[in-house]
Amino acid sequence: MSLLQAIPKIDKFISNKKFEKYPISLITKISKKQIDILRKDILEKKVDEVNEESLILNVIKEYEEITSPSLQAVINATGIIVHTNLGRSLINKESFNRVIEVATSYNNLEYDLQKGKRGERYAHITKTLKELTGCEDAIVVNNNASAVFLILNTFCKNKEVVVSRGELVEIGGSFRVPEVMSQSGAVLKEIGTTNKTHARDYENAVNENTSMLMKVHKSNYSIEGFTSEVDFEEVVSIAKQNNVIDYYDMGSGHIIDLPFNLAQKEPSITQIMKYNPSLLSFSGDKLLGSVQAGIIIGKKELIEKIKKNQLLRMLRVDKITLALLEDNLNSYVKGNIQDIPTLNMLFTSLETLEQRANILKSNIEDICSCEVIKTQTLIGGGTTPNKKIPSIALSLKYQNYKPNKIEQILRKENLIVRIENDTVLLDFRSIQEDEIVKITQIIKKVFS
Ligand SMILES: *Cc1c(COP(=O)(O)O)cnc(C)c1O
């Protein structure tokens, strides 16, 4: 019998008992593909036998690959709280429980329960945002990049927007301010130099075609040395004098003053609102500690204009985002900061981090050599460029394994660590208290 004749017939093949617990339609599809591969390999003389058992294994393996979830939970032991690659902010579990009811029932997303007629999608968060920030009105879109785009498209199409050369940034994932501007139809008017921009640069740039003075947070870099930039407070006042809009893309907006002497350099939304700005925008999932969203707050008449922009329909957020965001904002209104995981991590004392590190140490020190050390980490998410905050880490060594090897072994178990000075570190700034048990299990599993 030739090899080709030995190839199993599909109907008979899929009736094998080993496929019993799998859905037949997907198994059939994969089986056909695997049989085709086998036939091709035979014709190309790459195989010299037909092994039905290994064919079955290949089918099951491919089935597992297709159906196992790609998006998975990981333990973030890098110390970076707002880690963009690891999903930025964590959502409070109880928030999610409340949101389940809204999302799995019909709800008043665009329905005014009092008046019994069509309501406004954005009304659900304006109440809390007004209360928190003192803004006149607010709107929420897909993310802060959308917010920037929508604002520029609404107010600056074919008009000039004045930005300092020191703020024409590129943010991770290739969000380039100048390119977003040109895509939105705004005409970029660069002022100043890379290291210095003065108030008079803004004043001199304004002409009859100017629509806006924009400031952009320097999220992922800082300019040191011989520098000067114009505070947003002054930008607001120059805009007012010249009857144009002022707008600050804050990047990561935070409501509560930051710890570790960062408050002075990185003013909160509340502080910035004291300048009475026209428009501010910030991310929902950076230091605000909620879902991916772009939040725009400011003057009512301007927000009204944004709401009329047809693009809003493409950038709008769904009920789950709104419900989670409302819950997060409510935690701020009620002063329940401990309910916001991102802030919880940021404000945890070094003593507490050290206690946790010591618990893990005592759990695993008979397996590998480890040491509790003082370290520094970044908040991340472009919140405080080049400014580190204190933290506690557990250094980890195992036999004569290289740090890269340990990192790789732990990564296979979804435990993401940091390597610093040729040492593997588990940084407790971003490790959740209830993850200590899981980390212990992982280390026991891989190193014993
Ligand atoms: C992060 C950031 C953005 C983009 O925000 P996303 O919510 O990620 O879309 C825009 N501008 C600045 C200054 C940022 O830091």
Side-chain angles (χ1 to χ4, degrees):
M1 194 166 65
S2 81
L3 274 179
L4 283 175
Q5 280 168 325
I7 295 175
K9 297 278 168 293
I10 184 75
D11 291 343
K12 184 151 175 299
F13 180 70
I14 58 169
S15 66
N16 192 302
K17 263 200 149 0
K18 296 217 169 89
F19 293 136
E20 233 170 39
K21 62 177 175 130
Y22 296 97
I24 193 67
S25 59
L26 184 52
I27 289 295
T28 310
K29 194 171 154 200
I30 299 168
S31 299
K32 281 182 183 157
K33 191 172 136 202
Q34 288 294 339
I35 288 174
D36 281 347
I37 293 173
L38 178 64
R39 181 173 299 118
K40 194 158 163 270
D41 285 350
I42 292 171
L43 290 172
E44 288 171 6
K45 304 210 169 0
K46 282 187 195 152
V47 294
D48 50 14
E49 61 156 358
V50 172
N51 182 336
E52 194 159 334
E53 284 308 308
S54 71
L55 199 57
I56 291 170
L57 285 181
N58 285 347
V59 171
I60 292 174
K61 190 169 157 231
E62 189 174 343
Y63 174 86
E64 304 288 357
E65 269 168 23
I66 292 171
T67 55
S68 66
S70 169
L71 201 52
Q72 302 163 27
V74 305
I75 295 175
N76 174 8
T78 65
I80 298 168
I81 300 174
V82 185
H83 198 306
T84 295
N85 299 151
L86 302 183
R88 286 197 182 156
S89 280
L90 309 190
I91 309 286
N92 177 312
K93 279 208 177 93
E94 262 128 59
S95 284
F96 245 113
N97 288 337
R98 276 189 284 277
V99 172
I100 285 173
E101 209 198 334
V102 172
T104 57
S105 318
Y106 288 108
N107 50 65
N108 62 340
L109 179 62
E110 288 190 356
Y111 186 69
D112 187 325
L113 283 170
Q114 256 148 32
K115 295 185 184 142
K117 55 181 194 183
R118 194 199 165 108
E120 219 220 77
R121 173 178 294 256
Y122 305 101
H124 304 289
I125 46 85
T126 37
K127 184 183 62 171
T128 33
L129 278 170
K130 278 184 195 168
E131 175 61 38
L132 264 180
T133 66
C135 67
E136 289 179 11
D137 205 354
I139 194 163
V140 179
V141 289
N142 179 55
N143 55 12
N144 188 35
S146 315
V148 174
F149 185 83
L150 186 61
I151 287 174
L152 294 175
N153 181 269
T154 307
F155 300 106
C156 309
K157 209 165 173 201
N158 302 320
K159 296 217 178 103
E160 285 179 12
V161 48
V162 179
V163 190
S164 160
R165 285 196 174 87
E167 295 169 7
L168 291 169
V169 297
E170 173 174 325
I171 295 151
S174 68
F175 173 91
R176 287 185 161 181
V177 172
E179 276 161 39
V180 175
M181 286 183 162
S182 71
Q183 293 271 331
S184 73
V187 180
L188 172 59
K189 175 96 179 172
E190 297 176 35
I191 56 163
T193 58
T194 306
N195 58 333
K196 284 203 170 207
T197 300
H198 305 281
R200 61 172 185 275
D201 293 324
Y202 285 93
E203 282 156 357
N204 293 341
V206 177
N207 61 52
E208 63 281 3
N209 202 28
T210 306
S211 168
M212 178 182 283
L213 309 186
M214 178 181 181
K215 191 167 173 70
V216 184
H217 186 260
K218 286 198 276 295
S219 292
N220 48 9
Y221 70 108
S222 59
I223 300 178
E224 307 281 326
F226 186 59
T227 65
S228 73
E229 66 171 304
V230 182
D231 287 340
F232 185 56
E233 181 172 15
E234 204 169 349
V235 174
V236 173
S237 103
I238 297 168
K240 288 222 160 69
Q241 282 158 27
N242 290 279
N243 230 341
V244 294
I245 300 164
D246 59 86
Y247 163 43
Y248 187 11
D249 168 15
M250 289 186 74
S252 170
H254 51 282
I255 303 233
I256 306 284
D257 274 353
L258 299 179
F260 312 114
N261 300 320
L262 292 169
Q264 190 75 31
K265 276 216 93 167
E266 299 289 345
S268 66
I269 296 165
T270 325
Q271 279 171 295
I272 286 174
M273 284 306 285
K274 291 191 187 133
Y275 310 150
N276 194 14
S278 308
L279 290 169
L280 299 182
S281 78
F282 47 93
S283 291
D285 55 357
K286 291 183 179 173
L287 272 180
L288 196 72
S290 184
V291 267
Q292 178 189 305
I295 298 162
I296 305 171
I297 60 176
K299 298 286 174 215
K300 190 165 184 65
E301 57 167 320
L302 300 176
I303 304 278
E304 290 294 342
K305 285 203 173 121
I306 296 172
K307 283 182 186 163
K308 293 203 178 95
N309 190 329
Q310 284 295 316
L311 276 175
L312 178 60
R313 180 60 187 246
M314 288 154 241
L315 306 174
R316 79 179 186 185
V317 285
D318 80 328
K319 55 184 180 272
I320 299 178
T321 298
L322 282 171
L324 286 170
L325 191 59
E326 187 187 15
D327 207 67
N328 164 280
L329 294 171
N330 250 328
S331 299
Y332 283 104
V333 175
K334 293 185 205 155
N336 295 342
I337 302 309
Q338 71 283 357
D339 292 344
I340 302 166
T342 300
L343 292 186
N344 236 348
M345 286 182 249
L346 185 60
F347 282 94
T348 306
S349 71
L350 286 175
E351 291 73 43
T352 305
L353 296 183
E354 195 170 340
Q355 278 165 15
R356 292 177 189 168
N358 275 311
I359 294 174
L360 181 61
K361 180 174 187 243
S362 65
N363 289 352
I364 61 170
E365 63 193 342
D366 52 335
I367 306 171
C368 40
S369 69
C370 47
E371 207 182 322
V372 176
I373 60 160
K374 289 198 165 68
T375 184
Q376 291 198 315
T377 184
L378 289 161
I379 300 178
T383 50
T384 48
N386 300 347
K387 293 275 179 308
K388 294 204 162 177
I389 61 169
S391 187
I392 296 288
L394 193 67
S395 67
L396 201 88
K397 291 199 174 77
Y398 182 71
Q399 296 175 354
N400 55 358
Y401 282 32
K402 292 242 154 55
N404 284 334
K405 183 165 180 190
I406 298 178
E407 185 274 334
Q408 203 182 346
I409 291 170
L410 297 175
R411 176 155 39 86
K412 288 223 169 84
E413 302 294 325
N414 289 8
L415 171 55
I416 315 296
V417 301
R418 178 168 99 222
I419 298 177
E420 200 171 274
N421 301 327
D422 219 28
T423 314
V424 169
L425 296 184
L426 301 170
D427 190 318
F428 277 74
R429 185 60 71 191
S430 60
I431 294 174
Q432 310 306 297
E433 201 179 356
D434 62 2
E435 287 172 340
I436 296 173
V437 181
K438 288 186 216 158
I439 299 175
T440 308
Q441 285 163 353
I442 291 171
I443 288 176
K444 284 193 173 146
K445 179 181 158 197
V446 297
F447 293 133
S448 51

